Amino acid sequence: MNELGRRVLVALVGVPLAIGIIWIGGAPLATLLGGLAGIGAWEFYRLAREGGATPLVVLGVIAAALVPIAVHGELLGVLRLPLYAWILPVLLLLGAAIWLRGVEGRPLGAVSTTVYGVLYTGGTLAFGYALRYHNYAVGDTAGALAVLFPVVLTWASDTGAYFSGRLIGGRKLMPSVSPGKTVAGAVGAIVVTVAATYAFVHGLLVPRAQLAFTPWGLVLFGAAISVVAQVGDLAESLLKREAGVKDSGTLFPGHGGVLDRLDSLFFVLPAAYALYDWLLIPAPGGR
C-alpha cells in the first residue's frame, strides 16, 4: 500500500473511533488522551535528546499519561489534588535528577525539559477532557460538540493555509522554521476558519447544544483558533528542526507521530477552553 493509501486508511479508522470515544466521554476518553499524552511525551523527549538534552524519560512519560486521568478523577470526585500536589512532584523530580543525572548530566536542563514535556502533552490534552465536560455543555451531544468544534476548526485552518498558500504563494511566513508556509496561507487559514466557525455554530452548536456567539464573538473565536493552531504547528516544526528530524514518530502510518498529528491541538484545546469562558452565550430553544 502506498503512502496515500495508508493515510486514507488511518483516517477512515481513526476519525470515527475518536469521535465515538469523545461522545462516550468518561474513562474511555481519559484513557485515550492519557495514552496519546504518554506517546507524545516519549516523542518529545526523543526530540529533546536529539537536541542534546537529557530528560528523565520514564518519569515524564508516566506523568504525562496520568494528567488526563487525574482530571477524570477530579470530575468524578474520587481524587482531590491540593496545591502542593502540583508543586512537590517538580521538587522531587529535581531531587531525583541529582542522583540520576549528576552535574555532568545537566540536571537543570533535564528537569526543565521533563516538566515541559509533561505540560506540553499531558497538560494540554487534558483540556480535551475538560472541554467534554465544560460547564456550558449540557449532555453528551453538547459535550462532544464542545470538543469537536475546535478540532474541526483546526482542520479548516490547515486546509485553508494549504490551498491559499498553493494558489497565491508569495512571501514566506517563517522560512527558517517552516519553508513551505506563506503569509497568504496564514491569512487564507484565518478566513476559512472564520467561515467554518459560522457554519459549525449555526449548523450544529446552536441547534444541538443551545450554544452560540455574538457576531463579533464568532469572528474573534474563529480567527483566534486559526492563529493559535498555526503557532502550534510552527512550534512543533521548530522542535523537529532543532532535533534535525523529519517526523516526531511513526505511530500513524503515512501521518507521522502524535506530535505531528496533534501539534496544533496542543495549543488549540487550552485556548478553546479559555475562549468558551469568554465568548460563549446560551441559545435556548435552539434544538
Side-chain angles (χ1 to χ4, degrees):
M1 183 181 295
N2 59 27
E3 182 175 349
L4 178 59
R6 290 195 297 270
R7 290 173 68 93
V8 172
L9 180 61
V10 169
L12 288 176
V13 174
V15 172
L17 179 62
I19 292 175
I21 292 175
I22 289 170
W23 191 87
I24 294 170
L29 178 58
T31 302
L32 172 64
L33 294 172
L36 291 173
I39 297 170
W42 183 86
E43 293 177 357
F44 176 84
Y45 297 138
R46 169 178 168 263
L47 297 181
R49 289 197 304 269
E50 292 291 337
T54 57
L56 302 168
V57 177
V58 174
L59 294 177
V61 168
I62 293 173
L66 288 177
V67 173
I69 296 173
V71 174
H72 173 57
E74 283 269 3
L75 180 72
L76 293 178
V78 300
L79 184 64
R80 288 286 182 262
L81 296 178
L83 180 61
Y84 61 77
W86 301 100
I87 304 301
L88 285 181
V90 178
L91 301 179
L92 292 173
L93 193 62
L94 182 57
I98 296 173
W99 305 104
L100 298 175
R101 290 293 180 265
V103 176
E104 298 300 323
R106 294 184 289 180
L108 180 58
V111 172
S112 300
T113 305
T114 303
V115 172
Y116 185 79
V118 173
L119 297 177
Y120 180 58
T121 56
T124 58
L125 289 182
F127 278 92
Y129 191 93
L131 285 169
R132 175 62 175 79
Y133 295 98
H134 195 281
N135 291 334
Y136 295 163
V138 179
D140 291 333
T141 300
L145 289 176
V147 182
L148 292 173
F149 185 26
V151 174
V152 170
L153 295 189
T154 300
W155 291 340
S157 180
D158 289 344
T159 303
Y162 177 79
F163 285 105
S164 298
R166 290 290 297 271
L167 291 173
I168 300 174
R171 181 181 175 184
K172 299 296 183 181
L173 180 65
M174 194 172 290
S176 62
V177 176
S178 186
K181 290 181 171 55
T182 64
V183 173
V187 174
I190 295 173
V191 173
V192 170
T193 306
V194 171
T197 302
Y198 181 90
F200 196 101
V201 167
H202 291 282
L204 290 171
L205 210 59
V206 171
R208 299 298 180 184
Q210 293 83 58
L211 295 172
F213 296 86
T214 66
W216 281 112
L218 186 151
V219 172
L220 178 58
F221 187 89
I225 290 296
S226 180
V227 170
V228 170
Q230 294 182 65
V231 171
D233 189 0
L234 288 170
E236 200 251 350
S237 295
L238 184 63
L239 293 175
K240 290 191 293 187
R241 280 199 166 271
E242 181 177 345
V245 301
K246 182 179 182 294
D247 294 321
S248 67
T250 58
L251 178 64
F252 305 110
H255 291 264
V258 168
L259 298 189
D260 296 315
R261 289 299 87 206
L262 305 184
D263 51 3
S264 295
L265 288 177
F266 290 137
F267 282 59
V268 164
L269 294 178
Y273 190 90
L275 289 168
Y276 279 174
D277 281 350
W278 298 336
L279 299 175
L280 266 181
I281 58 175
R287 189 184 298 269

